[in-house]
Amino acid sequence: MNIYSPKQIATILNVSTTTLRRYEEQDLIPDVPRTKSNHRFYTSIHLQAFTTIRALLKGYDIPIVYEVMRMIKNANIEKALWSVNKQQFDLQVEKQRVEEILTMIQRANFTSYKNIKFKKHISIGEAAKIAGVNTSAIRHWENEGLIHSERNKENGYRMFTIPELRKILVISTLRKTVYYIDNMKQLLEDLDTQSHIKIERTFQLALENLNNQLLLQFKGITELTKYISFYQEINI
């Protein structure tokens, strides 16, 4: 059995010993043994556990990674794998959404999305449902000057035209890849003027990022599989 000090593991993975300690405190790795003088030391399964965490974090959200590692520690292997599979499914859904919105932008006549026929004016609740976001997100985008609403003369509620709804769909799709408000404003101005070159390029970049994330997810799964095998061998 190989034995490692915290500093050795930190050097191998290019992280700090504080990071390793945090993973341990978060209950993500097997229980850590100690020497007679009460110094912690790690074994090969700990090295693989840390390696798995670092690999998974490149392709999966932090809460998912932490949840999966805790499940494995508690021998809930199948549940852990289904959690990983769920986020891969979510990535697939996001990719489909990016492709659908890109096709929508390229269409001259935008009157429906996901079989929903649009009215001339759409409430903020309807817009949020179509875009798959909270109404608070739409209000924030309006405050930032990205979109503009009209007011219903009868009740004063926000109403959005179809061109503004299209902007909402673009923002909701690219918000993870276009970080700067000014960049987003320029893209939306191009959308207004039917100049789609930059927008299409941005969507292609979003698809490339999703492809890269998928690759990282599979690399994480490779390390996760090794860890599960290691864990099962030790606990037979």
Side-chain angles (χ1 to χ4, degrees):
M1 178 178 66
N2 295 328
I3 295 177
Y4 306 89
S5 68
K7 187 174 181 180
Q8 287 175 317
I9 297 286
T11 299
I12 292 171
L13 297 179
N14 194 30
V15 298
S16 67
T17 55
T18 301
T19 297
L20 300 181
R21 182 72 67 85
R22 183 173 70 250
Y23 294 155
E24 182 181 343
E25 291 172 349
Q26 289 290 328
D27 206 28
L28 308 185
I29 64 172
D31 294 336
V32 178
R34 291 179 178 266
T35 65
K36 292 181 180 179
S37 56
N38 202 34
H39 290 112
R40 62 172 34 84
F41 66 91
Y42 299 124
T43 64
S44 297
I45 192 171
H46 295 102
L47 174 58
Q48 185 58 44
F50 286 129
T51 301
T52 300
I53 293 169
R54 299 303 296 175
L56 288 175
L57 285 172
K58 293 178 180 178
Y60 294 89
D61 296 339
I62 291 176
I64 295 296
V65 175
Y66 282 23
E67 177 184 63
V68 165
M69 295 303 293
R70 292 189 187 110
M71 287 178 181
I72 294 174
K73 183 176 180 180
N74 293 319
N76 293 324
I77 306 299
E78 290 79 10
K79 193 173 181 180
L81 291 175
W82 280 113
S83 292
V84 169
N85 184 72
K86 171 63 167 59
Q87 189 151 38
Q88 281 197 301
F89 172 77
D90 291 343
L91 189 69
Q92 174 71 28
V93 171
E94 186 173 353
K95 177 177 179 291
Q96 291 174 344
R97 175 185 172 83
V98 171
E99 292 171 336
E100 288 170 356
I101 299 300
L102 176 57
T103 300
M104 175 269 293
I105 290 173
Q106 295 167 333
R107 277 167 37 193
N109 183 24
F110 175 54
T111 58
S112 66
Y113 176 64
K114 289 187 177 297
N115 298 320
I116 300 175
K117 294 286 186 179
F118 298 146
K119 300 176 292 184
K120 185 176 180 181
H121 289 87
I122 299 167
S123 71
I124 187 171
E126 291 170 325
K129 183 177 181 180
I130 293 168
V133 298
N134 295 324
T135 55
S136 58
I138 294 178
R139 291 190 186 94
H140 172 69
W141 298 335
E142 184 174 10
N143 290 336
E144 292 291 344
L146 298 177
I147 56 177
H148 302 282
S149 67
E150 300 176 4
R151 294 286 178 170
N152 186 311
K153 294 181 180 180
E154 295 180 1
N155 53 34
Y157 291 164
R158 286 179 174 84
M159 302 296 292
F160 294 94
T161 61
I162 289 179
E164 293 303 308
L165 174 62
R166 184 162 58 175
K167 291 181 184 179
I168 291 171
L169 286 169
V170 169
I171 298 168
S172 66
T173 303
L174 295 180
R175 66 191 188 281
K176 294 182 180 179
T177 55
V178 181
Y179 298 100
Y180 300 107
I181 295 295
D182 289 342
N183 289 355
M184 189 70 80
K185 284 181 178 178
Q186 182 59 57
L187 287 176
L188 296 177
E189 288 175 8
D190 291 344
L191 187 63
D192 277 337
T193 59
Q194 301 296 311
S195 177
H196 294 163
I197 295 177
K198 288 183 180 178
I199 296 176
E200 291 181 10
R201 189 182 304 138
T202 303
F203 270 81
Q204 292 299 335
L205 177 60
L207 288 172
E208 289 176 16
N209 289 340
L210 291 172
N211 288 336
N212 289 335
Q213 186 177 354
L214 180 65
L215 178 60
L216 291 172
Q217 285 188 345
F218 274 105
K219 288 182 177 179
I221 289 175
T222 298
E223 297 300 334
L224 178 64
T225 302
K226 293 178 184 177
Y227 177 50
I228 290 173
S229 297
F230 210 147
Y231 184 90
Q232 289 176 327
E233 288 175 8
I234 289 178
N235 289 278
I236 288 177

